[in-house]
Amino acid sequence: MLRALLISIFFSMCLGAPALAQDAEPSNRTEAQLKEEAQRAREEAERRIEAEMVTMTSLIEALSKNLGQLHYLRTLCFGQGDQKWRDYASQVMSIESRGSAATERQLIRAFNAGYYQEQQRHTECNRNVSVDVAALSENGRHIAAMLGDPYRDY
Protein backbone atom coordinates (compact mmCIF):
# COMPACT_ATOMS: atom_id res chain seq x y z
CA MET A 1 0.00 0.00 0.00
CA LEU A 2 2.75 2.43 0.99
CA ARG A 3 4.73 1.43 -2.07
CA ALA A 4 1.77 2.16 -4.37
CA LEU A 5 1.31 5.57 -2.73
CA LEU A 6 4.99 6.44 -3.19
CA ILE A 7 4.93 5.33 -6.83
CA SER A 8 1.82 7.40 -7.54
CA ILE A 9 3.41 10.45 -5.89
CA PHE A 10 6.58 9.89 -7.91
CA PHE A 11 4.68 9.70 -11.21
CA SER A 12 2.54 12.72 -10.46
CA MET A 13 5.70 14.71 -9.71
CA CYS A 14 7.32 13.51 -12.94
CA LEU A 15 4.26 14.37 -14.99
CA GLY A 16 3.93 17.80 -13.37
CA ALA A 17 7.59 18.75 -13.76
CA PRO A 18 7.56 19.20 -17.58
CA ALA A 19 4.56 21.51 -17.30
CA LEU A 20 6.37 23.62 -14.72
CA ALA A 21 9.53 23.69 -16.81
CA GLN A 22 7.61 25.12 -19.76
CA ASP A 23 6.78 28.28 -17.80
CA ALA A 24 10.41 29.35 -17.71
CA GLU A 25 11.73 31.23 -20.73
CA PRO A 26 14.76 29.55 -22.25
CA SER A 27 17.48 32.17 -22.36
CA ASN A 28 20.47 31.50 -24.55
CA ARG A 29 21.04 35.21 -25.04
CA THR A 30 24.03 36.94 -23.60
CA GLU A 31 23.80 39.91 -21.26
CA ALA A 32 24.96 42.18 -24.07
CA GLN A 33 22.15 40.91 -26.32
CA LEU A 34 19.59 41.47 -23.57
CA LYS A 35 20.85 45.02 -23.04
CA GLU A 36 20.71 45.67 -26.78
CA GLU A 37 17.11 44.38 -26.95
CA ALA A 38 16.14 46.57 -24.00
CA GLN A 39 17.76 49.62 -25.63
CA ARG A 40 15.93 48.97 -28.91
CA ALA A 41 12.60 48.59 -27.10
CA ARG A 42 13.18 51.85 -25.22
CA GLU A 43 14.11 53.72 -28.41
CA GLU A 44 11.05 52.33 -30.20
CA ALA A 45 8.78 53.47 -27.36
CA GLU A 46 10.38 56.93 -27.34
CA ARG A 47 9.93 57.30 -31.12
CA ARG A 48 6.28 56.28 -30.85
CA ILE A 49 5.65 58.77 -28.04
CA GLU A 50 7.44 61.59 -29.87
CA ALA A 51 5.39 60.92 -33.01
CA GLU A 52 2.19 61.18 -30.94
CA MET A 53 3.30 64.52 -29.47
CA VAL A 54 2.93 66.15 -32.88
CA THR A 55 -0.86 65.68 -32.72
CA MET A 56 -1.23 67.65 -29.48
CA THR A 57 -2.48 71.22 -29.69
CA SER A 58 -0.66 72.37 -26.54
CA LEU A 59 1.93 71.25 -24.04
CA ILE A 60 -0.64 70.98 -21.26
CA GLU A 61 -2.81 68.75 -23.46
CA ALA A 62 0.25 66.58 -24.14
CA LEU A 63 0.93 66.37 -20.41
CA SER A 64 -2.69 65.38 -19.73
CA LYS A 65 -2.47 62.58 -22.29
CA ASN A 66 0.85 61.49 -20.84
CA LEU A 67 -0.66 61.34 -17.35
CA GLY A 68 -3.60 59.31 -18.67
CA GLN A 69 -1.19 56.81 -20.19
CA LEU A 70 0.80 56.55 -16.97
CA HIS A 71 -2.40 56.22 -14.94
CA TYR A 72 -3.57 53.19 -16.93
CA LEU A 73 -0.19 51.47 -16.76
CA ARG A 74 0.12 52.10 -13.01
CA THR A 75 -3.35 50.71 -12.27
CA LEU A 76 -2.58 47.74 -14.53
CA CYS A 77 0.43 46.86 -12.41
CA PHE A 78 -0.59 48.09 -8.95
CA GLY A 79 -4.38 47.76 -9.02
CA GLN A 80 -7.35 50.08 -9.37
CA GLY A 81 -6.82 51.51 -5.90
CA ASP A 82 -3.66 53.29 -7.02
CA GLN A 83 -4.81 56.72 -8.21
CA LYS A 84 -1.46 58.53 -8.06
CA TRP A 85 -1.43 59.83 -11.65
CA ARG A 86 -5.18 60.54 -11.80
CA ASP A 87 -4.92 62.68 -8.65
CA TYR A 88 -1.90 64.51 -10.04
CA ALA A 89 -3.68 65.08 -13.38
CA SER A 90 -6.73 66.44 -11.56
CA GLN A 91 -4.56 69.00 -9.76
CA VAL A 92 -2.82 69.99 -13.01
CA MET A 93 -6.16 70.36 -14.81
CA SER A 94 -7.57 72.55 -12.04
CA ILE A 95 -4.59 74.87 -12.21
CA GLU A 96 -4.30 75.00 -15.99
CA SER A 97 -7.99 75.31 -16.85
CA ARG A 98 -8.28 78.46 -14.70
CA GLY A 99 -12.03 77.95 -14.40
CA SER A 100 -12.58 77.44 -18.14
CA ALA A 101 -14.96 74.50 -18.62
CA ALA A 102 -13.90 74.17 -22.28
CA THR A 103 -10.22 73.89 -21.37
CA GLU A 104 -10.98 71.40 -18.61
CA ARG A 105 -13.00 69.25 -21.05
CA GLN A 106 -10.12 69.35 -23.54
CA LEU A 107 -7.65 68.20 -20.88
CA ILE A 108 -9.99 65.45 -19.67
CA ARG A 109 -10.39 64.22 -23.27
CA ALA A 110 -6.61 64.10 -23.65
CA PHE A 111 -6.22 62.23 -20.34
CA ASN A 112 -8.89 59.70 -21.36
CA ALA A 113 -7.37 59.29 -24.83
CA GLY A 114 -4.03 58.41 -23.24
CA TYR A 115 -5.70 56.00 -20.82
CA TYR A 116 -7.61 54.16 -23.57
CA GLN A 117 -4.62 54.11 -25.88
CA GLU A 118 -2.56 52.22 -23.33
CA GLN A 119 -5.52 50.00 -22.47
CA GLN A 120 -5.55 48.85 -26.10
CA ARG A 121 -1.79 48.26 -26.11
CA HIS A 122 -1.37 46.41 -22.81
CA THR A 123 -3.53 43.86 -21.04
CA GLU A 124 -1.03 42.60 -18.47
CA CYS A 125 1.83 44.02 -16.46
CA ASN A 126 5.10 42.86 -18.00
CA ARG A 127 8.49 44.07 -19.19
CA ASN A 128 6.94 45.96 -22.13
CA VAL A 129 4.91 48.00 -19.66
CA SER A 130 8.09 48.88 -17.79
CA VAL A 131 9.70 50.08 -21.02
CA ASP A 132 6.67 52.22 -21.86
CA VAL A 133 6.50 53.66 -18.34
CA ALA A 134 10.16 54.68 -18.54
CA ALA A 135 9.66 56.35 -21.94
CA LEU A 136 6.44 58.07 -20.85
CA SER A 137 8.08 59.29 -17.64
CA GLU A 138 10.96 60.77 -19.59
CA ASN A 139 8.52 62.41 -21.99
CA GLY A 140 6.55 63.82 -19.04
CA ARG A 141 9.74 65.30 -17.57
CA HIS A 142 10.48 67.02 -20.89
CA ILE A 143 6.95 68.42 -21.11
CA ALA A 144 7.09 69.66 -17.51
CA ALA A 145 10.44 71.34 -18.18
CA MET A 146 9.01 73.06 -21.26
CA LEU A 147 5.93 74.18 -19.30
CA GLY A 148 8.20 75.68 -16.65
CA ASP A 149 10.29 77.58 -19.17
CA PRO A 150 9.55 81.29 -18.66
CA TYR A 151 10.53 82.00 -22.27
CA ARG A 152 8.21 79.48 -23.94
CA ASP A 153 5.46 80.65 -26.26
CA TYR A 154 2.02 80.37 -24.80
Side-chain angles (χ1 to χ4, degrees):
M1 175 81 175
L2 181 61
R3 184 174 181 201
L5 178 65
L6 290 175
I7 290 172
S8 67
I9 291 172
F10 174 77
F11 280 113
S12 50
M13 288 174 64
C14 288
L15 293 174
L20 293 173
Q22 292 173 5
D23 289 342
E25 275 187 36
S27 180
N28 297 334
R29 298 174 295 197
T30 65
E31 188 174 329
Q33 289 170 324
L34 292 172
K35 284 183 180 180
E36 185 178 318
E37 287 175 16
Q39 180 67 24
R40 267 186 295 191
R42 184 172 150 249
E43 289 171 356
E44 179 184 317
E46 287 174 357
R47 278 192 299 274
R48 178 179 43 79
I49 291 166
E50 286 176 13
E52 292 167 2
M53 285 284 294
V54 176
T55 65
M56 299 287 105
T57 58
S58 69
L59 286 174
I60 194 61
E61 184 181 352
L63 183 61
S64 291
K65 181 178 180 183
N66 185 274
L67 291 170
Q69 292 171 298
L70 286 168
H71 174 63
Y72 173 75
L73 296 176
R74 186 157 178 109
T75 57
L76 180 65
C77 293
F78 294 101
Q80 292 297 323
D82 192 327
Q83 298 293 305
K84 175 182 180 174
W85 294 117
R86 180 185 296 270
D87 293 342
Y88 184 75
S90 178
Q91 292 171 7
V92 169
M93 288 176 201
S94 294
I95 293 167
E96 290 294 327
S97 66
R98 298 182 189 103
S100 167
T103 302
E104 187 173 11
R105 279 192 305 275
Q106 178 185 9
L107 298 178
I108 290 171
R109 273 195 302 274
F111 179 90
N112 290 339
Y115 182 93
Y116 292 123
Q117 179 182 347
E118 293 305 313
Q119 190 177 46
Q120 289 175 346
R121 294 196 63 215
H122 299 286
T123 57
E124 64 182 358
C125 186
N126 56 32
R127 185 171 33 172
N128 294 334
V129 169
S130 296
V131 170
D132 279 2
V133 166
L136 287 165
S137 296
E138 185 64 24
N139 186 53
R141 281 189 284 277
H142 289 300
I143 295 169
M146 288 186 279
L147 283 167
D149 183 355
Y151 299 106
R152 77 176 171 99
D153 291 331
Y154 286 88

